[in-house]
Amino acid sequence: MSANHLMEPHVASVQKGFELLAIAATFLSAVQAQVMTISINTPPEAQTTAICLINAFFLMGLVLDIISAFLAFLTYRWLQRLSHEESVYLEEVFEAPITSLKDEEEALGVDEECTTDATKSNSSLIEGWIVSWSALSLFIPMLFLILGVSSMAVGIQIFIWTQQKLMVAILVTLTYVTVIPFIIGLFTIGKDRERRRKIIRNLGKKRGDW
């Protein structure tokens, strides 16, 4: 039976998240490509150290955004191809407490130690590394997108402080300082159950408004 016909709630949510991430990364790549035009067309012989740094950060950001979009799309497709059994198992993992998952991993590790010789132990070590690396590869697009946007932001800062009037540099930097705390706020939510419930309660009180 197709996984698409019996999509588990958490699986569908994660899948949709990576689909949106791929779209966002693609959009930001296009924006970054436009922003790059302010310095990328400067002839090599006319490029100062500042222009070289600006171009470097813009290009790094563009590459990271494109890679993020590509990996997010691949992760989205991988989640689409999960069998029904795999979707159900992923749903169970989402629902299970973190402590019970850790206990299960430790139990599996003990069983492997008791039943394997040196060769199998090495094989198990390699397999564990492959599993960890593959899982990281599936969920790393967001990190690449953050790095890409950060790289573009650094490039813009270098541009305004080296190529623009002081007033422009100060106003744009103040804009950075104003919005950065709110961005950090999203990443400080964390996994604490009580904190998340309080945040959800506050969102409910606002009814989607200020």
Side-chain angles (χ1 to χ4, degrees):
M1 185 175 295
S2 172
N4 293 332
H5 294 158
L6 290 170
M7 185 63 68
E8 302 296 332
H10 283 102
V11 178
S13 177
V14 173
Q15 186 184 110
K16 185 65 176 177
F18 279 103
E19 181 184 12
L20 293 174
L21 180 59
I23 294 171
T26 303
F27 170 75
L28 287 172
S29 296
V31 170
Q32 196 146 327
Q34 289 296 316
V35 173
M36 284 173 54
T37 59
I38 63 178
S39 64
I40 201 69
N41 293 323
T42 305
E45 62 274 8
Q47 290 185 8
T48 62
T49 301
I51 292 296
C52 289
L53 283 173
I54 293 167
N55 289 340
F57 277 104
F58 281 168
L59 287 170
M60 286 190 297
L62 180 62
V63 169
L64 287 167
D65 287 348
I66 292 172
I67 291 173
S68 174
F70 181 62
L71 289 177
F73 172 74
L74 291 180
T75 300
Y76 168 71
R77 285 294 298 150
W78 185 82
L79 289 168
Q80 271 193 327
R81 301 303 300 169
L82 289 178
S83 66
H84 176 59
E85 179 182 356
E86 290 169 335
S87 296
V88 170
Y89 179 67
L90 181 55
E91 188 72 18
E92 291 173 354
V93 172
F94 270 114
E95 293 291 344
I98 298 296
T99 53
S100 67
L101 293 175
K102 291 181 178 178
D103 292 341
E104 181 182 347
E105 289 175 358
E106 291 175 1
L108 288 172
V110 170
D111 290 341
E112 288 177 357
E113 289 177 3
C114 295
T115 59
T116 58
D117 54 21
T119 303
K120 290 183 178 179
S121 178
N122 290 334
S123 176
S124 176
L125 185 63
I126 294 173
E127 178 63 21
W129 183 85
I130 292 173
V131 168
S132 298
W133 184 255
S134 298
L136 177 64
S137 299
L138 286 170
F139 284 89
I140 207 169
M142 176 61 81
L143 176 59
F144 282 161
L145 183 59
I146 292 171
L147 292 175
V149 173
S150 299
S151 183
M152 178 176 68
V154 171
I156 291 174
Q157 277 290 301
I158 297 173
F159 175 77
I160 61 174
W161 282 102
T162 60
Q163 308 298 316
Q164 299 295 314
K165 296 289 187 179
L166 181 60
M167 180 62 70
V168 175
I170 292 174
L171 290 176
V172 175
T173 300
L174 285 176
T175 304
Y176 272 61
V177 173
T178 301
V179 301
I180 285 176
F182 297 102
I183 297 173
I184 294 174
L186 291 176
F187 289 95
T188 57
I189 294 174
K191 298 179 181 179
D192 182 79
R193 181 182 177 86
E194 189 58 32
R195 180 190 297 168
R196 293 171 72 90
R197 289 177 66 88
K198 289 178 181 178
I199 292 172
I200 292 170
R201 191 180 302 119
N202 283 340
L203 286 176
K205 288 178 181 178
K206 295 180 185 303
R207 296 295 191 269
D209 202 349
W210 282 90

